[in-house]
């Protein structure tokens, strides 16, 4: 729901609908998660809890995920926990039963409650976000609508950025008449925080007409975490706008949007939060909405909701959001990050010692996420890595996927989830040794 429905506005004026609840009442509208004492983390530090397999086994019991394979492709989307699946089903039935009567009169305040819940989780205000169908839609709206560019300006993207976002950046040449520059980020295995900062600082020096750049918080190919706040600070000092892709950052890293120091961000809520598939968000810092054009002639009014027009939304997916966020908070994002890093480090450190395996992952924990990648040494083609991924599945029952686009070549990406067991990553290590 990207804008108020005109019919609903007419009904409101006529007194035929219940007015939107005030912001203070929106939180109360969200359904409460039932008491789940087994999900209350023990009194341990996050690092200690990361190795508590009994606790994470109880967490895993809340997820109905196939055991036909060792599922190590959890970066595509995140499975919903059983309570969220159940709530989603109830909401589907509710929406189907109420039809337009529900959709026009009762859904809008419930949507606002969900929007408020997302804003709280992100650490921003409700008027700074609007819900979308995912990070791709969010980022396309931000990049395509960014209007502070003039013909002859330069925009910047990198090999670690998401494919569709690189395409959208390229489209700005036709839309805005700008020059599009693509750089190669330092290799994940050798990158340091300073080398990443230097890479973007040098690009700013080389391109004095640079006016906007895309910056991926956690890239989907090798999982490297960028020092977004530091790079954004440099860019702002030069008058360069930064659009941040945090599709793989929010939800798996212990952070909130203000930590990034950015004015615009695309967010995914069905990857690491465990909401139903088809939910994301746009963030635009208060006071910067005018930098993004209203969507295809939408009437402006300075409302962030005019920056995207999804059309008729998946009502039930948005309604299940508050429950997914509450479950996420119950486990704790710092605990989730520690567990995911533990699983990632377990296979990465073992793989580094296997002859013939090239690990694409930083040893600096500040630059690491749940995601890391590998390939056979010298085997950098798409065909090589498609074959490697297929062999892992057919011979060892390990499901991981080929990723392409890095300047250094293709690789196989490994992504555990909070329901992944140590034995599943150990199966990957055994396969690599074989």
């Amino acid at each position: 729901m990207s804008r108020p429905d005109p019919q609903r506005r007419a009904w409101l004026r006529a007194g035929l609908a219940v007015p939107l609840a005030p912001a203070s009442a929106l939180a109360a509208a969200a359904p409460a998660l039932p008491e789940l004492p087994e999900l209350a983390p023990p009194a341990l530090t996050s690092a200690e809890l990361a190795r508590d397999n009994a606790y994470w086994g109880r967490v895993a019991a809340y997820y109905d995920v196939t055991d036909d394979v060792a599922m190590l492709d959890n970066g595509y989307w995140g499975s919903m926990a059983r309570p969220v699946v159940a709530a989603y089903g109830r909401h589907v039935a509710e929406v189907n039963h109420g039809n337009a009567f529900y959709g026009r009169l009762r859904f809008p305040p419930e949507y606002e409650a969900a929007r408020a819940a997302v804003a709280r989780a992100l650490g921003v205000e409700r008027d700074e976000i609007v819900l979308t169908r995912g990070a791709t839609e969010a980022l396309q709206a931000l990049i395509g609508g960014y209007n502070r560019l003039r013909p002859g300006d330069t925009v910047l993207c990198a090999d670690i950025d998401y494919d569709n976002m690189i395409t959208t950046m390229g489209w700005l040449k036709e839309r805005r008449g700008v020059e599009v520059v693509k750089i190669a980020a330092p290799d994940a295995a050798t990158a340091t925080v300073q080398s990443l900062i230097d890479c973007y600082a040098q690009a700013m020096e080389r391109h004095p007409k640079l006016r906007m750049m895309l910056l991926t918080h956690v890239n989907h190919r090798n999982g490297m975490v960028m020092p977004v706040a530091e790079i954004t600070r440099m860019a702002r000092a030069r008058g360069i706008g930064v659009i941040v892709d945090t599709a793989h950052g929010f939800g798996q890293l212990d952070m909130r949007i203000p930590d990034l120091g950015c004015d615009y961000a695309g967010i995914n809520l069905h990857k690491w939060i465990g909401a139903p598939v088809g939910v994301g968000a746009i963030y635009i810092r208060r006071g910067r909405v005018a930098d993004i054009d209203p969507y295809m002639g939408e009437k402006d009014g300075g409302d962030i909701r005019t920056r995207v027009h999804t059309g008729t939304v998946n009502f039930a997916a948005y309604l299940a959001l508050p429950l997914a966020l509450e479950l996420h908070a119950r486990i704790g994002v710092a605990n989730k990050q520690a567990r995911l890093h533990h699983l990632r480090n377990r296979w990465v450190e073992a793989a580094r010692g296997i002859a013939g395996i090239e690990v694409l992952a930083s040893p600096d924990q500040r630059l690491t996420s749940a995601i890391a990648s590998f390939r056979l040494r010298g085997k950098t083609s798409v065909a090589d890595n498609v074959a490697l991924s297929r062999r892992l599945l057919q011979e060892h029952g390990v499901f991981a996927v080929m990723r392409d686009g890095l300047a250094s070549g293709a690789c196989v990406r490994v992504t555990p989830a909070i329901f992944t067991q140590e034995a599943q990553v150990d199966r990957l290590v055994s396969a690599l040794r074989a």
Side-chain angles (χ1 to χ4, degrees), residues 37 53 58 68 74 78 115 120 156 158 178 200 202 216 224 240 251 264 293 317 337 382 389 392 425:
N53 290 324
R58 295 194 295 274
D68 292 343
N74 296 291
R115 187 177 167 212
R120 287 193 300 274
L156 180 79
V178 300
Y200 281 85
Q202 290 161 12
T216 298
M224 185 166 61
I240 300 168
Y264 328 92
D293 282 335
Q337 175 176 316
V382 169
S389 175
L392 283 171
V425 295

Side-chain angles (χ1 to χ4, degrees), residues 31-54:
L33 191 68
E35 285 301 319
L36 301 172
E38 60 270 36
L39 288 184
L44 301 173
T45 67
S46 294
E48 292 168 337
L49 185 65
R51 291 170 170 76
D52 186 340
N53 290 324

Side-chain angles (χ1 to χ4, degrees), residues 319-389:
L319 293 171
L321 254 176
L323 187 59
L325 289 165
E326 190 174 346
L327 181 61
H328 170 71
R330 181 73 59 89
I331 297 170
V333 65
N335 295 332
K336 290 175 71 170
Q337 175 176 316
R339 176 63 175 181
L340 292 167
H341 280 200
H342 167 67
L343 294 170
R344 174 261 189 206
N345 292 341
R346 187 177 179 91
W347 81 261
V348 164
E349 296 310 317
R352 289 193 198 280
I354 301 174
I357 301 295
E358 180 185 359
V359 178
L360 283 65
S362 174
D364 186 338
Q365 293 300 299
R366 295 172 295 175
L367 303 180
T368 63
S369 65
I371 303 168
S373 301
F374 72 93
R375 58 187 166 220
L376 301 181
R377 290 199 180 276
K379 302 293 185 178
T380 60
S381 73
V382 169
D384 288 333
N385 286 278
V386 167
L388 179 55
S389 175

Side-chain angles (χ1 to χ4, degrees), residues 3 5 13 25-26 43 87 152 204 214 221 225 261 281 320 331-332 394 408:
R3 60 176 179 172
D5 182 89
R13 287 195 297 270
L26 290 173
M204 294 177 205
L214 174 65
R221 294 183 172 92
V225 178
I331 297 170
Q394 293 176 347
S408 64

Side-chain angles (χ1 to χ4, degrees), residues 8 12 18-22 26 108-110 112 126 305:
R8 184 182 180 281
L12 284 171
V18 177
L20 283 177
L26 290 173
E110 293 180 357
E112 290 301 321
R126 183 161 54 105
R305 290 173 295 179

Side-chain angles (χ1 to χ4, degrees), residues 118 130-135 138 266-270 276 278-282 318 321:
V118 173
V130 59
L131 300 183
T132 66
R133 290 173 294 190
I267 299 143
N268 202 304
L269 298 166
H270 63 233
V279 186
I282 289 172
Y318 287 170
L321 254 176

